[in-house]
Each structure stands twice: as structure tokens, then as C-alpha cells.
């Protein structure tokens, strides 16, 4: 229809525009992601090239796997108790159906169009990450930013960290074309380590080591390949030993709690006992910080704190090591959780361990067909209650592991289908030698272990877009 007014190439131009909306939207705007869904669907219907649609769909096995997985959400309604919650989940999963169809039913973008889209994606990441850094480090009070996770102003810090890792991969892929991509690679590395997002760190590690492994493999550099494996094992073992080492605070003087709190209340507007800005017990935050610094819990130790240290304690920083920021702070925080924390609430690692244990207990009772599309939340809450979980009520969440979530929802066959579509995607990238697609696929496989990645609009869009985009051979 539109071709009569705008020429034969109008639908291709609209399709490229829609892909751009998705790429920009997944970085910084839910509105643009929604606009991409609407405009992309209308473009397919108005083009009405149903013969070629069917041919492209039938030839794309990966797309069929993804649509079959979406079908499990409807199938799971047959044994769910809460149909209202089930239909609400299906509504949220609409992107998992429409985005692959919008991308996969249309012709593969040209080489020039693909390059322009990646450039647009990188430009959006650079601009948004620069804004995040400036606002967080120079204007935190004006924007009420308390935690490092608040630095992601445009959406989930977890998904954004993954996208930064993808941006690093695209820059490395282009680094021979212009020096600017080397500079951008360093910027994305800095942002990842400054933001301390675990999913982002995992993505960057996959991109860096994956790129080096592929370089050694393609050039048959066996010595380099063996060296990389050794380095990777050394890092994994080293981090393991570091996390396994208990934290010991050295007490060098007799505690004087009353004088300690009185001295603190003279220096801070946040009174103790009370809560810090992370809604943690302020007294515990203060005491742990002082023990890590001087080993003394008295008025003199409080008086020796600098204004920056007072502010850090008010913002919930409970150890001098955590105040340094970056990867070291993240690892130290995980180490503290493993050895010192007595309650999993507000400790991300311990919370996830509790989520996984609870989900695994439910799976053992519903391993074959799961609990159905709409019952996961209710079943998890019931399990928390029956086990008398130490988690606060507001921290009793879903499994935060998409493999466990899928098995618990759809049973063993849904879990096997999820594994199959990921394995087949990686296999396709290896056969087609689409190295960036391979790294993205490996990232999905790894991050699914620590996140319910397909339960937010941003997460679904990221997965559905890149899965469908690389489900065919990309023109490079």
C-alpha cells in the first residue's frame, strides 16, 4: 500500500528505522521500544508480503524454536491456578513474539544498514554512559542518588551493564577501522568497573576472553590458546581463594557504644540508632566502618572521620574497602556476605542463594510440568513461609535464575527447550563465523544463571532483538 505513494523501498526504510528504535530504546527509553513494536508490526501488515514471510519463517529454525518457547506461556495456562496472573505474564511477553517476527520476517538488512545501526547503538551507549557518570559523581544529591546501582539513570543497571559489554564487543570488532573505537573500548571498560554491575563484569569478561580465544583459534596459536586458558583458570582460582578467606576485624580498644553514638549524632544529620540512606541500621554501618578503619568503637574514632567518610557512612558504605569503588569493592562486598552476614536480606549474593534454594525445593515437587504460567509468585511465597525464610517480606522475590524460573514454570520440557534454543543459537554463530553473535549468545547463557532476564520489557527486548538479528547470516 505505501509503495504506491513512497516508492518500492519504503518498507525497507521503515524496517531500518524500527531496528534503530529498538537499539536506542533498549539503552534508554521504554517508549521507543514500544514505538518500535507498534511501527514494526504495522509495517509488516501494510507490506503484506505473506508468501515471503512464510518462506523466511520456515527457513529460520532458530526463530521457530523461539516461537515454540513463547507457546509454552500459553500452554502453561492449562494447569495454572491463577489465570489472571498467567494472562498478565503473557501480556508482558508480547515482545518475545513480535520482535522476532518483525526482524525475522523481513529481508536481512544490507551491509551498510547494519553498520549504521551498530554505530547508532554505540553512540547511544556513549552518550547515556557519559550522562550517568557525570550525574552520579558530580550531582548525586540533586538527583537523590545513593547507591552505585542508581548510576544507571535510564533503566535497569543490570541490563545496561550487559549492553555496555555488547558495546565493547562491537568496538573491538571495529578497532582496526579507526582509533576512536580503541578509545571507546577503554571508556566502556572504565564504566563497567566503576559501576560494579556483576552482569556487566561477566559480559565484559566473556567479550575480552572470547575475543582473545577466537584470535588464538583462528591463527592456530596453540601456545597463546593454552596461555589464555591458564590465565583464565588462574583468575578463577584466585578469586575463589580471595572469596573463601574470612574477614577479621581487629579490635584494638574497648568499645564505648554510648559515647560512640553521641559523637556521631553531633557530626551527622542522620541520627543513630536509625537507618542510613540504604535503609540499613545506621549503627551497624558505623561500627563496621570504624572496625575496618581503626578497630576502635569510641568517640575519638568518630571525631577522626573526614567529612567524605561521614557522607559515605550515611550513604550505607560499611567498610573502607567498599568506599574505594570498582571491582575490588564489589569482590570485598561479596566476601563479606559469605563470611559475616547473618541475614540474607539486602545482600545480593545471599539473597540469590536463598532464591535458588527455594526454587530448587519447589522444582523437586513440580519437576515434570511445573506450576503453570501464573502460579510462580504464589508458590514461591508459600515456600518462603513454609521454610520460615529469614528474608524480609519485601525481599522474597522470584528465583533470579532464568533456568530455574523456566523449569519451575513449565517443567522439564520447557527447561530443555530453553537450553536447546540457546545451544542452537551458539552453534549457528560458530558455523556462520559470526563472532559477535557467538559472544552475545554466551553472555545470555551465563547471565541467565543470575537473573530472570526475560521478565522485564528491557530484558526481553535485548534478548529477542539480538537472538532474532543473529538468527540469520548478518551482512558485514
Amino acid at each position: 500500500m505505501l509503495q504506491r505513494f513512497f516508492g518500492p523501498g519504503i518498507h525497507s526504510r521503515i524496517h531500518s528505522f524500527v531496528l534503530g528504535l529498538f537499539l536506542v530504546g533498549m539503552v534508554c527509553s521504554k517508549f521507543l521500544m514500544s514505538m518500535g513494536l507498534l511501527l514494526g508490526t504495522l509495517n509488516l501488515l501494510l507490506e503484506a508480503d505473506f508468501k515471503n514471510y512464510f518462506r523466511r519463517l520456515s527457513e529460520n529454525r532458530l526463530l521457530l524454536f523461539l516461537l515454540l518457547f513463547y507457546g509454552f506461556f500459553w500452554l502453561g495456562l492449562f494447569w495454572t491456578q491463577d489465570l489472571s496472573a498467567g494472562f498478565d505474564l503473557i501480556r508482558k511477553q508480547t515482545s518475545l513474539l513480535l520482535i522476532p517476527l518483525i526482524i525475522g520476517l523481513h529481508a536481512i538488512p544490507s551491509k551498510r544498514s547494519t553498520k549504521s545501526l551498530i554505530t547508532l547503538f554505540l553512540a547511544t551507549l556513549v552518550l547515556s554512559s557519559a550522562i550517568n557518570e557525570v550525574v552520579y559523581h558530580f550531582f548525586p544529591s540533586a538527583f537523590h542518588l545513593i547507591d552505585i546501582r542508581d548510576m544507571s539513570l535510564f533503566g535497569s543497571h543490570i541490563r545496561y551493564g550487559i549492553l555496555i559489554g555488547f558495546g565493547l564487543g562491537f568496538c573491538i570488532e571495529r578497532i582496526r577501522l579507526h582509533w576512536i573505537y580503541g578509545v571507546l573500548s577503554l571508556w566502556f571498560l572504565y564504566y563497567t568497573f566503576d559501576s560494579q554491575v556483576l552482569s556487566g563484569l561477566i559480559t565484559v569478561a566473556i567479550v575480552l576472553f572470547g575475543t582473545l580465544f577466537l584470535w588464538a583459534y583462528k591463527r592456530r596459536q596453540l601456545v597463546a590458546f593454552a596461555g589464555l586458558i591458564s590465565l583464565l583458570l588462574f583468575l578463577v582460582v584466585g578469586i575463589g581463594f580471595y572469596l573463601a578467606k574470612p574477614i577479621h576485624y581487629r579490635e584494638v580498644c574497648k568499645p564505648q557504644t554510648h559515647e560512640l553514638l553521641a559523637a556521631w549524632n553531633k557530626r551527622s544529620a542522620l541520627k543513630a540508632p536509625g537507618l542510613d540512606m540504604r535503609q540499613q541500621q545506621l549503627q551497624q554501618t558505623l561500627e563496621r566502618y570504624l572496625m575496618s578503619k581503626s578497630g576502635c568503637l569510641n568517640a575519638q574514632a568518630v571525631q577522626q572521620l573526614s567529612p567524605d567518610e561521614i557522607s559515605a557512612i550515611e550513604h550505607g558504605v560499611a567498610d573502607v574497602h567498599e568506599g574505594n569503588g570498582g571491582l575490588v569493592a564489589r569482590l570485598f562486598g561479596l566476601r563479606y556476605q559469605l563470611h559475616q552476614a547473618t541475614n540474607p536480606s539486602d545482600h545480593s549474593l545471599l539473597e540469590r542463594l536463598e532464591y535458588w534454594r527455594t526454587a530448587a525445593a519447589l522444582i523437586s515437587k513440580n519437576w515434570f510440568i511445573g506450576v503453570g504460567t501464573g502460579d510462580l509468585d504464589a508458590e514461591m511465597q508459600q515456600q518462603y513461609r513454609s521454610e520460615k525464610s529469614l528474608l524480609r517480606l519485601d525481599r522474597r522475590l522470584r528465583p533470579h535464575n532464568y533456568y530455574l524460573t523456566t523449569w519451575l514454570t513449565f517443567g522439564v520440557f520447557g527447561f530443555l527447550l530453553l537450553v536447546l534454543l540457546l545451544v542452537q543459537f551458539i552453534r549457528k554463530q560458530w558455523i556462520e563465523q559470526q563472532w559477535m553473535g557467538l559472544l552475545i549468545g554466551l553472555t545470555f547463557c551465563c547471565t541467565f544463571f543470575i537473573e530472570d532476564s526475560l521478565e522485564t520489557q528491557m530484558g526481553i527486548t535485548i534478548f529477542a532483538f539480538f537472538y532474532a538479528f543473529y538468527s540469520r547470516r548478518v551482512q558485514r
Side-chain angles (χ1 to χ4, degrees):
M1 181 186 297
L2 295 179
Q3 295 178 7
R4 278 185 273 174
F5 301 99
F6 301 101
I10 182 61
H11 291 292
S12 294
R13 293 195 294 272
I14 292 176
H15 180 64
S16 295
F17 180 70
V18 167
L19 297 183
L21 287 177
F22 284 137
L23 286 169
V24 175
M26 69 177 68
V27 174
C28 62
S29 172
K30 292 181 179 180
F31 173 75
L32 293 182
M33 288 189 285
S34 299
M35 285 298 298
L37 281 175
L38 177 61
L39 188 57
T41 303
L42 287 175
N43 188 44
L44 284 177
L45 294 175
L46 291 175
E47 187 179 28
D49 190 8
F50 297 109
K51 182 179 179 180
N52 280 323
Y53 294 167
F54 180 78
R55 176 182 59 81
R56 290 171 187 142
L57 180 61
S58 61
E59 292 174 352
N60 194 330
R61 182 182 299 179
L62 291 178
L63 209 59
L64 293 174
F65 280 137
L66 193 54
L67 297 182
L68 179 61
F69 181 73
Y70 172 78
F72 264 81
F73 287 91
W74 287 95
L75 184 64
L77 291 176
F78 285 99
W79 59 86
T80 193
Q81 299 297 316
D82 192 341
L83 285 174
S84 176
F87 280 114
D88 185 59
L89 180 59
I90 289 175
R91 176 189 60 81
K92 294 177 181 177
Q93 296 292 327
T94 303
S95 300
L96 193 61
L97 170 68
L98 294 180
I99 293 176
L101 291 178
I102 291 170
I103 297 175
L105 298 187
H106 207 277
I108 298 174
S110 66
K111 182 178 180 180
R112 180 179 178 182
S113 179
T114 298
K115 288 184 175 181
S116 298
L117 287 169
I118 294 174
T119 300
L120 175 64
F121 177 63
L122 292 175
T124 308
L125 281 176
V126 170
L127 180 60
S128 59
S129 60
I131 292 173
N132 287 345
E133 285 283 347
V134 170
V135 170
Y136 181 79
H137 288 291
F138 295 98
F139 308 101
S141 300
F143 289 85
H144 307 289
L145 305 181
I146 298 171
D147 191 271
I148 188 67
R149 290 170 292 186
D150 297 333
M151 186 163 71
S152 182
L153 301 175
F154 302 97
S156 165
H157 63 287
I158 296 170
R159 321 285 179 236
Y160 190 80
I162 292 173
L163 292 176
I164 288 290
F166 289 172
L168 172 64
F170 285 121
C171 284
I172 292 175
E173 196 175 49
R174 293 180 164 197
I175 205 164
R176 290 177 296 178
L177 301 180
H178 198 282
W179 60 267
I180 191 63
Y181 293 109
V183 174
L184 294 183
S185 296
L186 295 176
W187 170 253
F188 289 144
L189 282 172
Y190 165 77
Y191 185 90
T192 297
F193 288 101
D194 187 44
S195 62
Q196 304 176 37
V197 178
L198 184 58
S199 297
L201 291 169
I202 291 173
T203 305
V204 164
I206 290 172
V207 168
L208 291 178
F209 277 97
T211 300
L212 292 173
F213 276 118
L214 289 170
W215 173 84
Y217 171 80
K218 287 188 292 184
R219 288 164 175 75
R220 300 294 190 271
Q221 297 288 336
L222 297 181
V223 175
F225 195 83
L228 287 170
I229 292 177
S230 301
L231 176 60
L232 182 59
L233 289 175
F234 175 79
L235 289 175
V236 170
V237 172
I239 291 174
F241 272 112
Y242 177 78
L243 295 178
K245 185 179 179 182
I247 296 174
H248 297 292
Y249 291 128
R250 185 171 58 92
E251 186 176 296
V252 299
C253 58
K254 184 179 179 179
Q256 298 175 350
T257 304
H258 180 74
E259 291 79 1
L260 170 77
L261 297 182
W264 170 263
N265 290 335
K266 291 180 180 179
R267 297 203 60 187
S268 173
L270 291 182
K271 304 306 179 182
L275 300 177
D276 60 32
M277 293 183 183
R278 292 187 188 177
Q279 301 305 302
Q280 305 167 140
Q281 290 297 321
L282 178 57
Q283 182 176 343
Q284 295 179 7
T285 303
L286 171 62
E287 289 179 351
R288 186 181 152 207
Y289 190 95
L290 292 177
M291 288 299 296
S292 70
K293 181 183 181 183
S294 63
C296 278
L297 300 180
N298 55 28
Q300 184 179 2
V302 174
Q303 294 164 0
Q304 291 175 349
L305 293 173
S306 69
D308 288 340
E309 289 176 319
I310 294 290
S311 176
I313 294 170
E314 292 173 339
H315 283 77
V317 176
D319 193 288
V320 291
H321 299 88
E322 295 178 17
N324 296 329
L327 179 60
V328 174
R330 181 62 173 165
L331 290 175
F332 188 87
L334 295 176
R335 183 179 161 199
Y336 174 83
Q337 292 179 47
L338 289 172
H339 298 285
Q340 300 291 121
T342 57
N343 190 311
S345 298
D346 296 319
H347 297 294
S348 58
L349 175 59
L350 299 185
E351 284 182 339
R352 277 171 171 76
L353 293 176
E354 185 75 0
Y355 301 152
W356 299 345
R357 186 185 60 79
T358 304
L362 274 174
I363 289 172
S364 68
K365 296 183 284 188
N366 304 274
W367 69 273
F368 189 62
I369 61 172
V371 300
T373 303
D375 288 356
L376 187 144
D377 283 329
E379 292 290 340
M380 286 286 291
Q381 294 305 317
Q382 177 59 38
Q383 189 69 21
Y384 285 131
R385 288 192 294 270
S386 65
E387 294 182 352
K388 296 180 173 56
S389 174
L390 293 176
L391 284 170
R392 290 199 318 267
L393 293 180
D394 63 309
R395 299 308 302 167
R396 296 181 179 184
L397 305 178
R398 295 164 75 90
H400 277 63
N401 178 314
Y402 201 67
Y403 298 107
L404 295 179
T405 296
T406 302
W407 196 334
L408 182 54
T409 306
F410 306 126
V412 65
F413 295 108
F415 167 75
L416 291 176
L417 179 59
L418 175 64
V419 173
L420 179 63
L421 66 87
L422 290 173
V423 170
Q424 288 296 322
F425 180 81
I426 290 174
R427 180 174 177 270
K428 172 75 172 180
Q429 307 315 305
W430 183 266
I431 293 173
E432 298 289 351
Q433 296 188 356
Q434 299 188 144
W435 306 126
M436 192 58 212
L438 176 64
L439 298 177
I440 288 173
L442 291 173
T443 298
F444 289 145
C445 290
C446 292
T447 55
F448 276 15
F449 279 106
I450 60 173
E451 292 299 332
D452 284 325
S453 303
L454 305 189
E455 299 203 339
T456 64
Q457 183 184 8
M458 187 176 180
I460 294 171
T461 301
I462 293 171
F463 176 77
F465 180 91
F466 286 109
Y467 190 96
F469 191 80
Y470 283 101
S471 66
R472 300 173 293 178
R473 184 171 182 82
V474 178
Q475 299 186 49
R476 295 176 292 177

